[in-house]
Amino acid sequence: MAEATEEGPRAYRRGPRSNWVPLGAAAAAIALLVVAWPLVNALLPGSESVPSGEPVPVGSASGYRATLTFPQEGWYLDTGASQAGLIYRFHRGPVELTLNAVTPVTSPPPTPEELWDGMREIVRAGEASARLGGPEAISTRDGDEGLTGVLESRHQRGAAVVYPSPDGRLAVEMTLAGREATMADLTAVADVVRSVSFVREEA
Amino acid sequence: MNRGPDERPAATDRGSVPSPREARRDESGPRHASERRPGGQHARGQRLPSLVALALIAVLCAAGLAYLALRFTGLVRVFFSEASLSVFLGVVTLAFGFWVLRRIRPVRDPALDASLVAVAWGLTAATAGGVVANAALGAIWNKSLGLPFSEVWGAALSAPLNEEVLKLGGIVLVAVAFPAAVRGPVDGFVIGSLVGLGFEVTENFVYSMNAVVQAGGTGGLVPVVQTHILRVGLAGLGSHWAMSAVAGTAVGLLAAAAWRPGPRRAVGAALLVLLAMGLHWLVDSPLFGSVLGVMIEVAVVFLTTMAVYFTVRHVHRRRVRGALASEGTALGMRRSAAVALANRHGRGRELGRVAAPERPVVERRQEQMLAIAEDRAVRHTP
């Protein structure tokens, strides 16, 4: 809040600057941010290869860390569309695997059935025509139990899976589908949804 | 006893305000007189930029609202109760904030039209732009620095730049669209805070819907309530309204110099914008993760903002008092009665001293005298 009284007369001698100048500067700055960043983002390569057999951390909460280990080669992580600890998007050819790390806030934590119902709603919010079929029991290779069912929408068909962590304070929700994916494509990688692990974190 | 509007009261009349039309004009101070007129009229050369700025604000606000509606329609449709509660809490926050932030402007409230447009910008255009820019810049950090680093530092590297510039752009547009409403640092502070308030309210909605998804759709209304408690109750004092108020003060400094600042003023304005970004960085940085850390961040942001506020408030009030004293002397008013008009309470007290039938006329004269005094105060703003 400088009170630079000597500035006024000088500015007066030069006269006021046209209001077009601040108007143009503001419009340019706004346009730059909403146009330039998406352009730069589009120019950068958006995915990185994920080696098979190596656990990928996909979220943690309440003392548990969740990982996903791909049984096959050829999976890629869409880094631009993912958010660490929240949402991960992978693809292998036409197959897309979307993984959400969920942290319930209620106490006691929700049952697997309640998690499934919540997932049903979230899937429907993302795509109005998407529906989840009735769930069946499934378990990870490590023996953690969850639910799975058919995912159907106007554009794709696949599978949905949810696994709560042993204490229920963390859950991994996945959809395995793809607009261009055939049943053979999906069947070839179906076991990926069983490769989730919950690891107890050291304090 | 009713006087005609031009009839001067005796100097000893308590509470009376003579017609300012008879006041001598102070010829010593005016600067940039060519572009300002008392009463907030547009000066020559301001009308077209003002209209264009207003049109740009309208278009960008409409585009922002449409983008946000498109993006959140699915979530609102499915989680309607959660969205409704979030909107309700947002409206309450907005109403309270709007009242408080307009009230803190010294001397008198800011112009209502400029205030509403400022809030609208923050609610729609700035937030939608922030969603687009943050998503893109966040993806750039993900790709270039890796997901783990981006998880920790992504927000601190994106939001202070994107969001502060988008809000700042809106403050400048409002200043150009309403040149009579943003004439100095005090106006910039208040208009900036209103832009930030609007931004905060929409961001709270976005965060609460994200929290619903993060909870797997299992928490009912709990994630919404938690989000508002954290973001309004705990962190509200040091949030967007405060950072944008600091950045808005810079806009006020530039507007007061007719957008042609000298080096000192330009540096001061730049430092204020950098300060706003720095405060935002502090809030988004992972350095203070605990509740105590958040409270420290909030305290730093709030106290810094208050330091800026009380500085510009002090300077503005001093100048307005000086202008009122000189105006009052010219009109034959007692100095104390003239200076008392510099605040809302004093005007009410002076008004209470005149007979009820005269109050509307005296109130009008108070307003006229204040308008002239604030014009003088602003013209003296270097």
Side-chain angles (χ1 to χ4, degrees):
Chain A
M1 275 46 60
E3 293 182 46
T5 51
E6 74 277 12
E7 287 181 1
R10 189 159 59 240
Y12 180 56
R13 280 198 302 274
R14 287 188 294 167
R17 179 165 279 153
S18 164
N19 278 13
W20 290 111
V21 175
L23 173 58
I30 294 163
L32 187 72
L33 290 181
V34 295
V35 174
W37 293 142
L39 276 178
V40 172
N41 180 36
L43 291 174
L44 290 174
S47 60
E48 60 186 49
S49 173
V50 185
S52 65
E54 283 187 20
V56 179
V58 290
S60 62
S62 188
Y64 279 95
R65 182 163 54 89
T67 62
L68 179 69
T69 307
F70 288 96
Q72 309 89 11
E73 293 291 344
W75 283 98
Y76 289 86
L77 170 64
D78 296 329
T79 44
S82 300
Q83 250 187 301
L86 296 176
I87 182 168
Y88 294 82
R89 295 184 196 278
F90 303 94
H91 73 269
R92 185 177 188 265
V95 179
E96 294 166 5
L97 173 67
T98 302
L99 184 152
N100 285 292
V102 164
T103 47
V105 293
T106 51
S107 187
T111 63
E113 288 74 22
E114 288 170 333
L115 282 169
W116 183 264
D117 289 341
M119 188 181 178
R120 189 196 303 275
E121 299 294 274
I122 289 171
V123 164
R124 203 159 61 84
E127 190 179 347
S129 66
R131 296 286 181 271
L132 293 188
E136 299 170 3
I138 190 175
S139 61
T140 66
R141 292 185 198 285
D142 296 343
D144 293 305
E145 294 183 346
L147 294 173
T148 184
V150 173
L151 163 69
E152 268 187 308
S153 79
R154 198 182 305 158
H155 304 291
Q156 56 187 346
R157 181 181 169 86
V161 186
V162 58
Y163 295 110
S165 65
D167 68 353
R169 301 287 179 191
L170 170 67
V172 170
E173 298 184 346
M174 290 183 284
T175 59
L176 184 70
R179 292 189 176 216
E180 308 296 325
T182 64
M183 283 309 292
D185 294 327
L186 293 171
T187 306
V189 296
D191 55 345
V192 72
V193 300
R194 297 190 61 228
S195 59
V196 172
S197 294
F198 292 101
V199 183
R200 186 97 189 148
E201 286 184 313
E202 297 299 324
Chain B
M1 180 182 82
N2 289 316
R3 291 189 190 96
D6 292 330
E7 189 179 344
R8 280 181 63 171
T12 51
D13 282 1
R14 294 180 66 80
S16 297
V17 179
S19 171
R21 272 187 272 170
E22 298 180 19
R24 282 186 294 109
R25 305 306 304 261
D26 181 358
E27 301 299 333
S28 62
R31 294 178 184 134
H32 309 307
S34 61
E35 86 258 31
R36 288 203 188 87
R37 291 175 184 179
Q41 295 167 2
H42 287 283
R44 189 162 46 85
Q46 283 185 343
R47 183 173 295 277
L48 190 56
S50 168
L51 287 173
V52 171
L54 204 52
L56 192 59
I57 291 171
V59 168
L60 293 178
C61 283
L65 184 63
Y67 176 80
L68 292 170
L70 207 62
R71 193 175 171 96
F72 288 96
T73 295
L75 276 173
V76 171
R77 178 169 43 79
V78 173
F79 297 103
F80 188 73
S81 304
E82 291 83 347
S84 300
L85 177 64
S86 187
V87 168
F88 172 73
L89 293 174
V91 168
V92 172
T93 306
L94 190 64
F96 178 71
F98 191 74
W99 178 76
V100 169
L101 293 176
R102 293 189 76 231
R103 190 74 185 166
I104 63 171
R105 187 191 183 280
V107 182
R108 55 182 177 167
D109 290 355
L112 183 61
D113 48 6
S115 303
L116 290 172
V117 170
V119 167
W121 177 269
L123 280 170
T124 56
T127 332
V131 170
V132 172
N134 285 344
L137 189 54
I140 292 170
W141 297 137
N142 282 352
K143 292 174 182 178
S144 55
L145 303 172
L147 280 182
F149 183 87
S150 186
E151 179 185 14
V152 179
W153 287 99
L157 292 175
S158 304
L161 174 65
N162 289 338
E163 296 176 6
E164 288 311 316
V165 170
L166 286 165
K167 290 183 291 174
L168 181 65
I171 302 167
V172 172
L173 290 179
V174 171
V176 174
F178 300 93
V182 184
R183 299 183 299 176
V186 158
D187 297 319
F189 184 96
V190 174
I191 292 298
S193 70
L194 290 169
V195 168
L197 171 71
F199 192 96
E200 175 79 14
V201 166
T202 303
E203 196 180 64
N204 287 350
F205 174 80
V206 172
Y207 270 65
S208 58
M209 297 315 289
N210 285 346
V212 168
V213 173
Q214 179 66 32
T218 61
L221 302 175
V222 175
V224 176
V225 174
Q226 280 182 344
T227 301
H228 280 83
I229 287 173
L230 279 174
R231 293 181 57 82
V232 180
L234 182 65
L237 278 180
S239 59
H240 281 285
W241 73 267
M243 304 158 199
S244 292
V246 173
T249 306
V251 176
L253 273 175
L254 299 183
W259 307 105
R260 193 185 284 283
R264 278 182 64 184
R265 183 179 292 265
V267 168
L271 287 177
L272 282 168
V273 172
L274 287 176
L275 178 61
M277 288 181 174
L279 294 173
H280 199 145
W281 179 87
L282 183 70
V283 168
D284 283 342
S285 80
L287 300 178
F288 302 95
S290 63
V291 172
L292 179 65
V294 171
M295 290 173 76
I296 291 171
E297 287 170 358
V298 170
V300 169
V301 174
F302 182 69
L303 292 176
T304 306
T305 306
M306 286 299 99
V308 172
Y309 169 68
F310 281 110
T311 305
V312 297
R313 177 179 182 268
H314 172 74
V315 171
H316 188 71
R317 278 165 55 99
R318 182 165 51 79
R319 287 180 180 149
V320 170
R321 280 200 187 112
L324 281 171
S326 129
E327 193 87 0
T329 305
L331 292 167
M333 283 176 75
R334 284 186 307 108
R335 180 184 168 85
S336 61
V339 170
L341 302 182
N343 65 66
R344 296 167 177 87
H345 194 69
R347 289 198 293 279
R349 197 174 56 239
E350 292 298 315
L351 210 54
R353 287 175 177 162
V354 299
E358 292 181 62
R359 281 179 195 160
V361 175
V362 173
E363 195 172 13
R364 200 162 56 245
R365 287 179 180 172
Q366 281 186 347
E367 280 298 318
Q368 290 170 340
M369 195 166 163
L370 265 182
I372 289 172
E374 282 213 295
D375 275 332
R376 283 186 175 185
V378 169
R379 283 199 300 270
H380 277 284
T381 301

